[in-house]
Coordinates of all heavy atoms in Angstrom, one line a residue:
M1 N -123.6 31.1 -102.0 CA -124.2 31.4 -100.7 C -123.2 32.1 -99.8 O -122.0 31.9 -99.9 CB -124.7 30.1 -100.0 CG -125.8 29.5 -100.7 SD -126.6 28.2 -99.7 CE -128.2 28.2 -100.4
N2 N -123.7 32.9 -99.0 CA -122.8 33.6 -98.0 C -123.0 33.0 -96.6 O -123.8 32.1 -96.4 CB -123.1 35.1 -98.0 CG -124.6 35.4 -97.6 OD1 -125.1 34.7 -96.7 ND2 -125.2 36.4 -98.2
N3 N -122.2 33.4 -95.7 CA -122.2 32.8 -94.4 C -123.5 32.9 -93.7 O -123.9 32.1 -92.9 CB -121.1 33.5 -93.5 CG -119.7 33.0 -94.0 OD1 -119.6 32.2 -94.9 ND2 -118.7 33.6 -93.4
E4 N -124.3 34.0 -93.9 CA -125.6 34.1 -93.3 C -126.6 33.1 -93.9 O -127.3 32.5 -93.1 CB -126.2 35.5 -93.5 CG -125.6 36.6 -92.6 CD -125.8 36.2 -91.1 OE1 -126.9 35.9 -90.7 OE2 -124.8 36.3 -90.4
T5 N -126.5 32.8 -95.2 CA -127.3 31.8 -95.8 C -126.9 30.4 -95.3 O -127.7 29.5 -95.0 CB -127.2 31.9 -97.3 OG1 -127.5 33.2 -97.7 CG2 -128.1 30.9 -98.0
D6 N -125.6 30.2 -95.1 CA -125.0 28.9 -94.7 C -125.6 28.6 -93.3 O -125.8 27.4 -93.0 CB -123.5 29.0 -94.5 CG -122.8 29.0 -95.8 OD1 -123.4 29.0 -96.9 OD2 -121.5 29.0 -95.8
K7 N -125.9 29.6 -92.5 CA -126.5 29.3 -91.2 C -127.8 28.7 -91.2 O -128.3 28.2 -90.2 CB -126.4 30.6 -90.3 CG -125.0 31.0 -90.0 CD -125.0 32.3 -89.2 CE -123.5 32.7 -89.0 NZ -123.4 34.0 -88.4
N8 N -128.5 28.7 -92.3 CA -129.8 28.1 -92.5 C -129.7 26.7 -93.0 O -130.7 26.0 -93.1 CB -130.7 28.9 -93.5 CG -132.2 28.5 -93.3 OD1 -132.7 28.5 -92.2 ND2 -132.8 28.2 -94.5
V9 N -128.5 26.2 -93.2 CA -128.2 24.9 -93.7 C -127.9 23.9 -92.6 O -127.1 24.2 -91.7 CB -127.0 24.8 -94.7 CG1 -126.7 23.4 -95.1 CG2 -127.4 25.7 -96.0
V10 N -128.6 22.7 -92.6 CA -128.3 21.7 -91.7 C -127.8 20.5 -92.5 O -128.5 20.0 -93.4 CB -129.5 21.3 -90.8 CG1 -129.2 20.1 -90.0 CG2 -130.0 22.4 -90.0
A11 N -126.6 20.0 -92.2 CA -126.0 18.8 -92.8 C -126.1 17.6 -91.9 O -125.6 17.7 -90.8 CB -124.6 19.1 -93.2
I12 N -126.7 16.6 -92.3 CA -126.8 15.3 -91.6 C -125.9 14.3 -92.3 O -126.1 14.0 -93.5 CB -128.2 14.8 -91.5 CG1 -129.1 15.9 -90.9 CG2 -128.3 13.5 -90.7 CD1 -130.6 15.6 -91.1
W13 N -124.9 13.8 -91.7 CA -123.9 13.0 -92.3 C -123.7 11.7 -91.5 O -123.9 11.7 -90.3 CB -122.6 13.7 -92.6 CG -122.0 14.3 -91.3 CD1 -122.4 15.5 -90.8 CD2 -121.1 13.7 -90.4 NE1 -121.7 15.7 -89.6 CE2 -120.9 14.6 -89.4 CE3 -120.4 12.5 -90.4 CZ2 -120.0 14.4 -88.3 CZ3 -119.5 12.3 -89.3 CH2 -119.3 13.2 -88.3
H14 N -123.3 10.6 -92.2 CA -123.1 9.3 -91.6 C -121.8 9.3 -90.8 O -120.8 9.3 -91.4 CB -123.2 8.2 -92.6 CG -123.3 6.8 -92.0 ND1 -122.9 5.7 -92.6 CD2 -123.7 6.4 -90.8 CE1 -123.1 4.7 -91.9 NE2 -123.5 5.1 -90.7
K15 N -121.9 9.3 -89.5 CA -120.7 9.4 -88.7 C -120.0 8.1 -88.4 O -118.9 8.1 -87.8 CB -121.1 10.0 -87.3 CG -122.0 9.1 -86.4 CD -122.3 9.8 -85.1 CE -123.1 8.9 -84.2 NZ -123.4 9.6 -83.0
A16 N -120.5 7.0 -88.9 CA -120.0 5.7 -88.6 C -119.0 5.1 -89.6 O -118.5 4.0 -89.4 CB -121.1 4.7 -88.3
D17 N -118.8 5.7 -90.7 CA -117.9 5.2 -91.7 C -117.2 6.3 -92.5 O -117.6 7.5 -92.4 CB -118.5 4.2 -92.7 CG -119.6 4.8 -93.5 OD1 -119.6 6.0 -93.8 OD2 -120.5 4.1 -94.0
L18 N -116.1 5.9 -93.2 CA -115.2 7.0 -93.8 C -115.9 7.7 -94.9 O -115.7 8.9 -95.1 CB -113.9 6.3 -94.3 CG -113.0 5.9 -93.1 CD1 -111.7 5.2 -93.7 CD2 -112.6 7.0 -92.3
D19 N -116.7 7.0 -95.7 CA -117.4 7.8 -96.8 C -118.4 8.8 -96.2 O -118.6 9.8 -96.8 CB -117.9 6.9 -97.9 CG -118.8 5.8 -97.5 OD1 -118.7 5.3 -96.3 OD2 -119.7 5.3 -98.3
G20 N -119.0 8.5 -95.1 CA -119.9 9.4 -94.5 C -119.1 10.6 -93.9 O -119.6 11.8 -94.0
I21 N -118.0 10.3 -93.3 CA -117.2 11.4 -92.7 C -116.7 12.3 -93.9 O -116.7 13.5 -93.7 CB -116.0 10.8 -91.9 CG1 -116.6 10.1 -90.6 CG2 -115.0 11.9 -91.5 CD1 -115.6 9.2 -89.9
C22 N -116.2 11.7 -95.0 CA -115.8 12.5 -96.1 C -117.0 13.3 -96.7 O -116.8 14.4 -97.1 CB -115.2 11.6 -97.2 SG -113.6 10.9 -96.7
S23 N -118.1 12.7 -96.7 CA -119.3 13.5 -97.2 C -119.5 14.7 -96.3 O -119.8 15.8 -96.9 CB -120.6 12.6 -97.1 OG -120.4 11.5 -98.0
G24 N -119.5 14.5 -95.0 CA -119.6 15.7 -94.1 C -118.5 16.7 -94.4 O -118.8 17.9 -94.4
A25 N -117.3 16.3 -94.6 CA -116.2 17.2 -94.9 C -116.4 18.0 -96.2 O -116.1 19.2 -96.2 CB -114.9 16.4 -94.9
I26 N -116.9 17.3 -97.2 CA -117.2 18.0 -98.5 C -118.3 19.1 -98.3 O -118.2 20.2 -98.8 CB -117.5 17.0 -99.6 CG1 -116.3 16.2 -99.9 CG2 -118.1 17.7 -100.8 CD1 -116.6 14.9 -100.8
I27 N -119.3 18.7 -97.6 CA -120.4 19.7 -97.3 C -119.8 20.9 -96.5 O -120.1 22.0 -96.8 CB -121.6 19.0 -96.5 CG1 -122.2 18.0 -97.4 CG2 -122.6 20.1 -96.2 CD1 -123.2 17.1 -96.6
K28 N -118.9 20.6 -95.6 CA -118.3 21.7 -94.8 C -117.5 22.6 -95.6 O -117.5 23.8 -95.4 CB -117.4 21.0 -93.7 CG -116.7 22.0 -92.8 CD -117.6 22.4 -91.7 CE -116.8 23.2 -90.7 NZ -117.6 23.9 -89.8
L29 N -116.9 22.1 -96.7 CA -116.1 23.0 -97.6 C -117.1 24.0 -98.3 O -116.7 25.2 -98.5 CB -115.4 22.2 -98.7 CG -114.2 21.4 -98.2 CD1 -113.7 20.5 -99.4 CD2 -113.1 22.4 -97.8
R30 N -118.2 23.6 -98.6 CA -119.2 24.4 -99.3 C -120.0 25.3 -98.4 O -120.3 26.4 -98.7 CB -120.1 23.6 -100.2 CG -121.2 24.3 -100.9 CD -120.6 25.3 -101.9 NE -121.6 26.0 -102.6 CZ -122.1 27.2 -102.2 NH1 -121.7 27.8 -101.1 NH2 -123.0 27.8 -102.9
Y31 N -120.4 24.8 -97.2 CA -121.2 25.5 -96.3 C -120.5 25.5 -94.9 O -120.9 24.8 -94.0 CB -122.6 24.8 -96.1 CG -123.3 24.7 -97.4 CD1 -123.4 23.5 -98.1 CD2 -124.0 25.8 -97.9 CE1 -124.1 23.4 -99.3 CE2 -124.7 25.7 -99.2 CZ -124.7 24.5 -99.8 OH -125.4 24.4 -101.0
P32 N -119.4 26.3 -94.8 CA -118.6 26.2 -93.5 C -119.4 26.6 -92.3 O -119.0 26.2 -91.2 CB -117.5 27.2 -93.8 CG -117.9 28.0 -94.9 CD -118.9 27.2 -95.7
D33 N -120.4 27.4 -92.4 CA -121.2 27.9 -91.2 C -122.5 27.1 -91.0 O -123.3 27.5 -90.2 CB -121.5 29.4 -91.3 CG -120.2 30.2 -91.2 OD1 -119.3 29.8 -90.4 OD2 -120.1 31.2 -91.9
A34 N -122.6 26.0 -91.7 CA -123.8 25.2 -91.5 C -123.8 24.5 -90.1 O -122.8 24.4 -89.5 CB -123.9 24.2 -92.6
T35 N -124.9 24.0 -89.7 CA -125.0 23.1 -88.5 C -124.8 21.7 -89.0 O -125.4 21.2 -90.0 CB -126.4 23.2 -87.9 OG1 -126.6 24.6 -87.5 CG2 -126.6 22.3 -86.7
F36 N -123.9 21.0 -88.3 CA -123.6 19.6 -88.7 C -124.0 18.6 -87.6 O -123.8 18.8 -86.5 CB -122.0 19.5 -88.9 CG -121.6 20.1 -90.2 CD1 -121.4 21.5 -90.3 CD2 -121.5 19.4 -91.4 CE1 -121.0 22.1 -91.4 CE2 -121.1 20.0 -92.5 CZ -120.9 21.4 -92.6
I37 N -124.7 17.6 -88.1 CA -125.3 16.6 -87.2 C -124.8 15.2 -87.7 O -125.2 14.7 -88.8 CB -126.8 16.6 -87.2 CG1 -127.4 17.9 -86.8 CG2 -127.3 15.4 -86.3 CD1 -128.9 18.1 -87.0
G38 N -123.9 14.6 -86.9 CA -123.4 13.3 -87.2 C -124.5 12.3 -86.8 O -125.0 12.4 -85.6
Y39 N -124.8 11.4 -87.6 CA -126.0 10.5 -87.3 C -125.6 9.1 -87.7 O -124.9 8.9 -88.7 CB -127.2 10.9 -88.1 CG -128.4 10.0 -87.9 CD1 -129.2 10.1 -86.8 CD2 -128.7 9.1 -88.9 CE1 -130.3 9.3 -86.6 CE2 -129.8 8.2 -88.7 CZ -130.6 8.3 -87.6 OH -131.6 7.5 -87.5
D40 N -126.1 8.1 -87.0 CA -125.9 6.7 -87.4 C -127.3 6.0 -87.3 O -128.2 6.4 -86.6 CB -124.9 5.9 -86.4 CG -124.5 4.6 -87.0 OD1 -124.7 4.3 -88.2 OD2 -123.9 3.8 -86.2
Y41 N -127.4 5.0 -88.1 CA -128.7 4.3 -88.3 C -129.3 3.9 -86.9 O -128.6 3.4 -86.0 CB -128.5 3.0 -89.1 CG -128.1 3.3 -90.5 CD1 -126.8 3.2 -91.0 CD2 -129.1 3.8 -91.5 CE1 -126.4 3.6 -92.2 CE2 -128.7 4.1 -92.8 CZ -127.4 4.0 -93.2 OH -127.0 4.3 -94.4
G42 N -130.6 4.1 -86.8 CA -131.3 3.7 -85.6 C -131.2 4.7 -84.4 O -131.9 4.5 -83.4
E43 N -130.4 5.7 -84.5 CA -130.3 6.6 -83.4 C -131.5 7.5 -83.3 O -132.1 7.8 -84.4 CB -129.1 7.5 -83.5 CG -127.8 6.8 -83.3 CD -126.6 7.8 -83.5 OE1 -126.7 8.9 -84.0 OE2 -125.5 7.3 -83.0
P44 N -131.9 8.0 -82.1 CA -133.0 9.0 -82.1 C -132.6 10.3 -82.8 O -131.4 10.6 -82.8 CB -133.2 9.2 -80.6 CG -132.0 8.7 -79.9 CD -131.3 7.7 -80.8
F45 N -133.5 11.0 -83.3 CA -133.2 12.3 -84.0 C -134.1 13.4 -83.6 O -135.3 13.2 -83.4 CB -133.4 12.1 -85.6 CG -132.9 13.2 -86.4 CD1 -131.5 13.4 -86.6 CD2 -133.8 14.1 -86.9 CE1 -131.1 14.5 -87.3 CE2 -133.4 15.2 -87.6 CZ -132.0 15.4 -87.8
D46 N -133.5 14.5 -83.3 CA -134.3 15.7 -82.9 C -134.8 16.5 -84.1 O -134.0 17.3 -84.6 CB -133.4 16.6 -82.0 CG -134.1 17.8 -81.4 OD1 -135.4 18.0 -81.7 OD2 -133.5 18.6 -80.8
F47 N -136.0 16.3 -84.5 CA -136.5 17.0 -85.7 C -136.7 18.5 -85.5 O -136.8 19.2 -86.5 CB -137.9 16.3 -86.1 CG -137.7 14.9 -86.6 CD1 -137.8 13.8 -85.7 CD2 -137.4 14.7 -87.9 CE1 -137.6 12.5 -86.2 CE2 -137.2 13.4 -88.4 CZ -137.3 12.3 -87.5
E48 N -136.7 19.0 -84.3 CA -136.8 20.4 -84.1 C -135.6 21.1 -84.7 O -135.7 22.3 -85.1 CB -136.8 20.7 -82.6 CG -138.1 20.3 -81.9 CD -139.3 21.1 -82.4 OE1 -139.2 22.4 -82.6 OE2 -140.4 20.5 -82.7
R49 N -134.5 20.4 -84.8 CA -133.2 21.1 -85.3 C -133.3 21.4 -86.8 O -132.5 22.1 -87.3 CB -132.0 20.2 -85.0 CG -131.8 20.0 -83.5 CD -130.6 19.2 -83.2 NE -129.4 19.9 -83.6 CZ -128.2 19.4 -83.5 NH1 -128.0 18.2 -83.1 NH2 -127.1 20.2 -83.8
I50 N -134.2 20.8 -87.5 CA -134.3 21.0 -89.0 C -135.5 21.8 -89.4 O -135.6 22.1 -90.6 CB -134.3 19.6 -89.7 CG1 -135.4 18.7 -89.3 CG2 -132.9 18.9 -89.5 CD1 -136.6 18.8 -90.1
K51 N -136.4 22.2 -88.5 CA -137.6 22.9 -88.9 C -137.2 24.2 -89.6 O -136.5 25.0 -89.0 CB -138.4 23.2 -87.7 CG -139.2 22.0 -87.3 CD -140.3 22.3 -86.3 CE -141.1 21.1 -86.0 NZ -142.2 21.3 -85.1
G52 N -137.7 24.4 -90.8 CA -137.5 25.6 -91.6 C -136.1 25.8 -92.1 O -135.7 26.9 -92.6
K53 N -135.3 24.8 -92.0 CA -133.9 24.8 -92.5 C -133.7 24.1 -93.9 O -134.6 23.4 -94.3 CB -132.9 24.1 -91.5 CG -133.0 24.7 -90.1 CD -132.3 26.0 -90.0 CE -132.3 26.5 -88.6 NZ -131.5 27.7 -88.4
D54 N -132.6 24.4 -94.5 CA -132.3 23.7 -95.8 C -131.4 22.5 -95.4 O -130.3 22.7 -94.8 CB -131.5 24.6 -96.7 CG -132.3 25.8 -97.1 OD1 -133.5 25.6 -97.5 OD2 -131.8 27.0 -97.1
V55 N -131.9 21.3 -95.6 CA -131.3 20.1 -95.1 C -130.6 19.4 -96.2 O -131.1 19.2 -97.3 CB -132.3 19.2 -94.4 CG1 -131.7 17.9 -94.0 CG2 -133.0 19.9 -93.2
I56 N -129.3 19.0 -95.9 CA -128.6 18.1 -96.8 C -128.3 16.8 -96.0 O -127.6 16.9 -94.9 CB -127.3 18.7 -97.3 CG1 -127.5 20.0 -98.0 CG2 -126.5 17.8 -98.2 CD1 -126.3 20.9 -98.3
M57 N -128.7 15.7 -96.5 CA -128.4 14.4 -95.8 C -127.5 13.6 -96.7 O -127.8 13.3 -97.9 CB -129.7 13.6 -95.5 CG -129.5 12.3 -94.8 SD -131.0 11.4 -94.5 CE -131.4 12.2 -92.9
A58 N -126.3 13.2 -96.2 CA -125.4 12.5 -97.0 C -124.9 11.2 -96.4 O -124.5 11.1 -95.2 CB -124.1 13.4 -97.2
D59 N -125.0 10.1 -97.2 CA -124.5 8.8 -96.9 C -125.2 8.1 -95.8 O -124.6 7.2 -95.2 CB -122.9 8.8 -96.6 CG -122.3 7.4 -96.7 OD1 -122.5 6.7 -97.7 OD2 -121.7 7.0 -95.7
V60 N -126.4 8.5 -95.5 CA -127.1 7.8 -94.4 C -128.6 8.1 -94.7 O -129.0 9.1 -95.4 CB -126.7 8.4 -93.0 CG1 -127.2 9.8 -92.8 CG2 -127.2 7.5 -91.9
S61 N -129.5 7.3 -94.2 CA -130.9 7.5 -94.3 C -131.6 7.1 -93.0 O -131.0 6.6 -92.1 CB -131.5 6.7 -95.5 OG -131.3 5.3 -95.3
M62 N -132.9 7.3 -93.0 CA -133.7 6.9 -91.9 C -134.9 6.1 -92.4 O -135.1 6.0 -93.6 CB -134.2 8.2 -91.1 CG -133.1 9.0 -90.5 SD -133.8 10.5 -89.8 CE -132.3 11.4 -89.3
K63 N -135.8 5.7 -91.5 CA -137.0 5.1 -91.9 C -137.8 6.0 -92.8 O -137.7 7.3 -92.6 CB -137.8 4.6 -90.7 CG -137.1 3.5 -89.9 CD -138.0 3.1 -88.7 CE -137.3 2.0 -88.0 NZ -138.0 1.6 -86.8
L64 N -138.6 5.5 -93.7 CA -139.3 6.3 -94.7 C -140.2 7.3 -94.0 O -140.2 8.5 -94.4 CB -140.2 5.4 -95.5 CG -141.0 6.1 -96.7 CD1 -140.0 6.8 -97.6 CD2 -141.8 5.1 -97.4
F65 N -140.8 7.0 -92.9 CA -141.6 8.0 -92.2 C -140.8 9.2 -91.7 O -141.2 10.3 -91.8 CB -142.3 7.3 -90.9 CG -143.1 8.3 -90.1 CD1 -144.4 8.6 -90.5 CD2 -142.6 8.9 -89.0 CE1 -145.2 9.5 -89.7 CE2 -143.3 9.8 -88.2 CZ -144.6 10.1 -88.6
D66 N -139.6 8.9 -91.2 CA -138.7 10.0 -90.7 C -138.2 10.8 -91.9 O -138.0 12.0 -91.7 CB -137.6 9.4 -89.9 CG -138.1 8.8 -88.6 OD1 -139.2 9.2 -88.1 OD2 -137.4 7.9 -88.0
M67 N -137.8 10.2 -93.0 CA -137.4 10.9 -94.2 C -138.5 11.8 -94.7 O -138.2 13.0 -95.0 CB -137.0 9.9 -95.3 CG -135.8 9.0 -94.9 SD -134.2 9.9 -94.8 CE -133.8 10.0 -96.6
S68 N -139.7 11.3 -94.7 CA -140.8 12.2 -95.1 C -141.0 13.3 -94.1 O -141.3 14.5 -94.5 CB -142.1 11.3 -95.1 OG -143.2 12.1 -95.5
K69 N -140.8 13.1 -92.8 CA -141.0 14.2 -91.8 C -139.9 15.3 -92.1 O -140.2 16.4 -92.0 CB -140.8 13.6 -90.4 CG -141.1 14.5 -89.3 CD -141.2 13.8 -88.0 CE -141.6 14.8 -86.9 NZ -141.8 14.1 -85.6
I70 N -138.7 14.8 -92.4 CA -137.6 15.8 -92.7 C -138.1 16.6 -93.9 O -138.0 17.9 -93.9 CB -136.3 15.2 -92.9 CG1 -135.7 14.6 -91.6 CG2 -135.3 16.2 -93.5 CD1 -134.5 13.7 -91.8
N71 N -138.5 16.0 -94.9 CA -139.0 16.7 -96.1 C -140.1 17.7 -95.9 O -140.1 18.7 -96.4 CB -139.4 15.6 -97.2 CG -139.7 16.2 -98.5 OD1 -138.9 17.0 -99.0 ND2 -140.9 16.0 -99.1
Q72 N -141.0 17.3 -95.0 CA -142.2 18.2 -94.7 C -141.8 19.3 -93.8 O -142.3 20.4 -94.0 CB -143.3 17.4 -94.0 CG -143.9 16.4 -95.0 CD -144.9 15.5 -94.3 OE1 -145.2 15.6 -93.1 NE2 -145.5 14.5 -95.0
E73 N -140.9 19.1 -92.9 CA -140.6 20.2 -91.9 C -139.4 21.1 -92.2 O -139.3 22.1 -91.6 CB -140.4 19.5 -90.5 CG -141.7 18.8 -90.0 CD -141.6 18.4 -88.6 OE1 -140.6 18.7 -87.9 OE2 -142.5 17.7 -88.2
S74 N -138.7 20.7 -93.2 CA -137.5 21.5 -93.6 C -138.0 22.5 -94.7 O -139.0 22.3 -95.3 CB -136.4 20.6 -94.1 OG -136.8 19.9 -95.3
N75 N -137.1 23.5 -94.9 CA -137.4 24.4 -96.0 C -137.1 23.7 -97.4 O -137.8 23.9 -98.3 CB -136.5 25.7 -95.8 CG -136.7 26.7 -96.9 OD1 -137.9 27.1 -97.2 ND2 -135.7 27.2 -97.5
S76 N -136.0 23.0 -97.4 CA -135.7 22.2 -98.6 C -134.9 21.0 -98.1 O -134.3 21.0 -97.0 CB -134.8 23.0 -99.6 OG -133.5 23.3 -99.0
F77 N -134.9 19.9 -98.9 CA -134.3 18.6 -98.5 C -133.5 18.0 -99.7 O -134.2 17.7 -100.7 CB -135.3 17.7 -98.0 CG -134.8 16.4 -97.4 CD1 -133.6 16.3 -96.8 CD2 -135.6 15.2 -97.6 CE1 -133.2 15.0 -96.3 CE2 -135.2 14.0 -97.1 CZ -133.9 13.9 -96.5
V78 N -132.2 17.9 -99.5 CA -131.4 17.2 -100.5 C -130.8 15.9 -99.9 O -130.2 16.0 -98.8 CB -130.2 18.1 -101.0 CG1 -129.3 17.3 -102.0 CG2 -130.8 19.3 -101.7
F79 N -131.1 14.8 -100.5 CA -130.7 13.5 -100.0 C -129.7 12.9 -101.0 O -130.0 12.7 -102.2 CB -131.9 12.6 -99.8 CG -131.6 11.2 -99.5 CD1 -130.9 10.9 -98.3 CD2 -132.1 10.1 -100.2 CE1 -130.6 9.5 -98.0 CE2 -131.8 8.8 -99.9 CZ -131.1 8.5 -98.8
I80 N -128.4 12.6 -100.5 CA -127.4 12.1 -101.3 C -126.9 10.8 -100.8 O -126.4 10.8 -99.6 CB -126.2 13.1 -101.4 CG1 -126.7 14.5 -101.9 CG2 -125.1 12.6 -102.4 CD1 -125.7 15.6 -101.7
D81 N -127.1 9.7 -101.5 CA -126.6 8.4 -101.0 C -126.3 7.5 -102.2 O -126.8 7.8 -103.3 CB -127.7 7.7 -100.1 CG -127.1 6.7 -99.2 OD1 -125.9 6.4 -99.3 OD2 -127.9 6.1 -98.4
H82 N -125.5 6.6 -102.0 CA -125.0 5.7 -103.1 C -125.5 4.3 -102.9 O -125.1 3.4 -103.7 CB -123.5 5.8 -103.3 CG -122.7 5.3 -102.1 ND1 -122.4 4.0 -101.9 CD2 -122.3 6.0 -101.0 CE1 -121.7 3.9 -100.7 NE2 -121.7 5.1 -100.2
H83 N -126.3 4.0 -101.9 CA -126.7 2.6 -101.6 C -128.0 2.3 -102.3 O -128.8 3.1 -102.6 CB -126.9 2.5 -100.1 CG -125.6 2.7 -99.3 ND1 -124.6 1.8 -99.2 CD2 -125.2 3.8 -98.7 CE1 -123.7 2.3 -98.5 NE2 -124.0 3.5 -98.2

């Protein structure tokens, strides 16, 4: 991907622990111009930020309804978690 394509990527990473922070850093290596959203469980989330974007969510999740909403409103959705 090039930098223009990277701009369509939104990375949501778990900001509250080291494996989440490392996950965000790894995504940053691959998609340096992506939009990065640090998120922790239970926080409000602005779904407008992911509409029509390619979303990567790493080391964190949301309630099933919200995960489904991300899947429906994004261009693509990759969810990476080890729990």
Side-chain angles (χ1 to χ4, degrees):
M1 292 192 157
N2 60 40
N3 290 356
E4 283 304 311
T5 306
D6 289 2
K7 291 178 183 174
N8 197 49
V9 174
V10 175
I12 304 167
W13 53 277
H14 191 202
K15 67 180 184 180
D17 64 25
L18 291 178
D19 51 333
I21 293 167
C22 289
S23 297
I26 291 167
I27 297 168
K28 180 81 171 168
L29 287 173
R30 177 63 180 92
Y31 303 102
D33 293 324
T35 298
F36 287 81
I37 302 172
Y39 177 80
D40 195 12
Y41 295 99
E43 291 182 340
F45 187 79
D46 180 7
F47 291 94
E48 289 296 317
R49 297 181 72 183
I50 56 93
K51 283 191 175 183
K53 304 287 185 173
D54 297 315
V55 176
I56 303 169
M57 179 180 274
D59 194 56
V60 70
S61 63
M62 298 177 185
K63 293 181 180 179
L64 184 57
F65 177 83
D66 293 337
M67 297 289 281
S68 178
K69 188 171 182 176
I70 291 172
N71 188 51
Q72 291 173 5
E73 295 190 9
S74 64
N75 183 50
S76 66
F77 182 36
V78 175
F79 173 56
I80 306 166
D81 202 355
H82 61 90
H83 298 280

